């Protein structure tokens, strides 16, 4: 396993669910991160799907010491660099391109790119990446597909994201090649918009209890 993959796994170790967040109002970022951390989910992914996303990452990185903030939906090197400069501790992409591979290899920030097919997984493995995002998980075949990959490509581990919920997360976490899952159910839009941080903390606590089987 590469040093960067090991670094990324150590950042996310012991956290079964990585909250995938879409921040519509930058003022929500810090209190949301604090609520999730109190509930046992300090590592979060803020997606670059809103105009305030980079500023949200900056605020969490600068104001919420207990949080481990990463950025998601990174599509090109310019976004990678911007996310890293904003304070991202890890960077997530839906897929892997030669350009993203190069910029990530030149950066100290660990990279979690997406892969679906065996060919994509093998290409990432050959490039030295042994911890990948499996996206979109449910639409691509779900836990059954990942289980089928576990034997032929046993040294690659995954974080499935996309359609993962409280109802099906345990099915993924029970697989030998799954480290954690990504999901948005721990921070529903309505609770975030209304500032219901106590309820989000409780959802995080329940998600943090979804431990992998011993």
């Amino acid at each position: 396993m590469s040093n960067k993959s090991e670094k990324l796994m150590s950042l996310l170790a012991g956290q079964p669910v990585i909250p995938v967040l879409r921040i519509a109002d930058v003022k929500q970022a810090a209190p949301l991160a604090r609520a999730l951390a109190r509930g046992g989910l300090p590592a979060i992914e803020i997606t670059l799907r809103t105009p305030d996303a980079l500023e949200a990452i900056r605020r969490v990185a600068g104001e919420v010491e207990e949080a481990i903030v990463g950025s998601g939906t990174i599509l090109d090197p310019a976004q990678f660099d911007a996310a890293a400069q904003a304070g991202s501790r890890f960077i997530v992409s839906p897929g892997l391109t030669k350009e993203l591979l190069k910029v990530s290899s030149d950066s100290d920030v660990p990279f979690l790119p997406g892969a679906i097919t065996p060919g994509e997984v093998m290409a990432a493995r050959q490039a030295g990446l042994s911890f990948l995002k499996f996206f979109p998980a449910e639409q691509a075949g779900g836990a059954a597909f990942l289980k089928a990959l576990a034997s032929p490509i046993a040294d690659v581990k995954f974080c499935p994201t996309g359609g993962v919920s409280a109802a099906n997360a345990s099915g993924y976490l029970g697989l030998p090649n799954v480290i954690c899952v990504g999901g948005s159910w721990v921070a529903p839009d309505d609770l975030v918009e209304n500032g219901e941080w106590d309820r989000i903390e409780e959802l995080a606590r329940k998600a943090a209890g979804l431990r992998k089987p011993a």
Side-chain angles (χ1 to χ4, degrees), residues 101-173:
L101 184 60
K102 183 180 187 310
V103 72
S104 67
S105 66
D106 294 337
S107 173
D108 291 331
V109 181
F111 183 41
L112 182 67
I116 297 175
T117 68
E120 290 173 348
V121 174
M122 290 167 63
R125 179 182 180 276
Q126 189 169 335
L129 297 163
S130 52
F131 183 26
L132 303 171
K133 173 177 177 172
F134 182 68
F135 174 83
E138 281 293 286
Q139 296 85 344
F145 190 103
L146 271 177
K147 183 178 181 180
L149 291 180
S151 180
I153 316 177
D155 58 348
V156 176
K157 307 301 181 184
F158 294 92
C159 176
T161 306
V164 181
S165 66
N168 62 18
S170 294
Y172 286 100
L173 291 167

Side-chain angles (χ1 to χ4, degrees), residues 1-207:
M1 180 173 292
S2 71
N3 289 336
K4 287 184 182 177
S5 290
E6 288 180 353
K7 181 179 179 182
L8 181 57
M9 288 180 66
S10 70
L11 282 177
L12 308 182
Q15 184 168 322
V17 179
I18 309 302
V20 179
L21 309 174
R22 181 182 179 277
I23 305 292
D25 181 347
V26 71
K27 293 191 295 294
Q28 301 163 344
L32 174 56
R34 290 190 186 100
L36 291 167
R38 285 196 304 270
L41 302 180
I44 61 174
E45 175 191 333
I46 296 177
T47 62
L48 262 62
R49 299 183 187 181
T50 64
D52 279 345
L54 286 172
E55 179 59 25
I57 292 165
R58 274 190 286 270
R59 291 202 183 184
V60 174
E63 299 175 17
V64 190
E65 185 177 345
E66 62 271 33
I68 301 167
V69 62
S71 60
T73 323
I74 300 298
L75 304 179
D76 55 52
Q79 290 182 336
F80 188 108
D81 286 337
Q85 291 169 15
S88 296
R89 302 272 298 278
F90 61 96
I91 288 178
V92 186
S93 175
L96 180 61
T97 65
K98 290 184 293 184
E99 292 79 10
L100 280 173
L101 184 60
K102 183 180 187 310
V103 72
S104 67
S105 66
D106 294 337
S107 173
D108 291 331
V109 181
F111 183 41
L112 182 67
I116 297 175
T117 68
E120 290 173 348
V121 174
M122 290 167 63
R125 179 182 180 276
Q126 189 169 335
L129 297 163
S130 52
F131 183 26
L132 303 171
K133 173 177 177 172
F134 182 68
F135 174 83
E138 281 293 286
Q139 296 85 344
F145 190 103
L146 271 177
K147 183 178 181 180
L149 291 180
S151 180
I153 316 177
D155 58 348
V156 176
K157 307 301 181 184
F158 294 92
C159 176
T161 306
V164 181
S165 66
N168 62 18
S170 294
Y172 286 100
L173 291 167
L175 298 177
N177 56 345
V178 168
I179 299 297
C180 55
V181 300
S184 58
W185 80 88
V186 293
D189 288 344
D190 59 333
L191 297 187
V192 174
E193 289 167 8
N194 295 328
E196 297 186 53
W197 311 125
D198 289 345
R199 290 184 64 189
I200 288 173
E201 179 182 344
E202 182 58 30
L203 287 173
R205 188 167 287 109
K206 289 179 180 177

